[in-house]
Amino acid sequence: KLSRYVVLLPWQTNPLPIIAAADLVAIPSRWEGMPNVLLEAIALQRPFVVTDVEGVREVLGDDDNRPLPSPGDAPALADALLAELGALNTSSAQSRLLKQRLLAESSHPKMVAKYAQLYRDLISQWEKR
């Protein structure tokens, strides 16, 4: 029975304790703006499987070449989940490295610099009109 292995919960006001307790976080989204659950799983260094929706590749970065199932592709999602379950030790190490990279790239000074550059680029484009 699947219910021995999988727990489906209703909406949670504070999902962090649940994510922290998970052996594997499945994020089978059909669409996202910013995949916050993915960011939370990474912050908590939990292994995850996520579909290839908006924002995911930006979070994972160019060096992450894991295959991402397409949204709605249940067989590919199942394969990815089984593969990830078979590699939990490796996944934990990857999650730690990914967290370190995201923290380094998203520090307060770096985010301020990125926004400043974005504003400079937008102003430059506006002035060219």
Side-chain angles (χ1 to χ4, degrees):
K1 274 184 134 180
L2 186 60
S3 62
R4 291 189 316 195
Y5 305 101
V6 176
V7 179
L8 299 175
L9 299 172
W11 185 81
Q12 302 290 310
T13 57
N14 181 12
L16 294 181
I18 296 165
I19 295 169
D23 294 323
L24 175 63
V25 179
I27 311 169
S29 301
R30 290 186 177 268
W31 61 87
E32 289 281 349
M34 172 50 70
N36 288 323
V37 175
L38 175 59
L39 292 170
E40 292 164 344
I42 292 167
L44 294 168
Q45 298 179 27
R46 304 310 311 142
F48 58 85
V49 171
V50 62
T51 50
D52 192 4
V53 294
E54 185 178 8
V56 168
R57 292 198 186 270
E58 290 82 0
V59 169
L60 296 180
D62 295 333
D63 295 336
D64 194 305
N65 57 5
R66 75 183 74 209
L68 298 177
S70 296
D73 187 347
L77 180 64
D79 289 345
L81 288 167
L82 289 172
E84 197 67 22
L85 283 170
L88 287 180
N89 291 336
T90 304
S91 300
S92 294
Q94 288 174 334
S95 292
R96 278 192 297 281
L97 292 173
L98 185 53
K99 178 182 178 180
Q100 290 170 356
R101 182 185 62 77
L102 287 173
L103 287 173
E105 290 177 0
S106 303
S107 68
H108 185 262
K110 287 199 178 199
M111 292 305 296
V112 168
K114 287 178 183 180
Y115 275 108
Q117 185 60 50
L118 172 64
Y119 293 144
R120 282 191 294 273
D121 292 346
L122 291 171
I123 290 168
S124 174
Q125 290 173 16
W126 182 76
E127 289 174 340
K128 291 178 184 176
R129 297 191 308 160

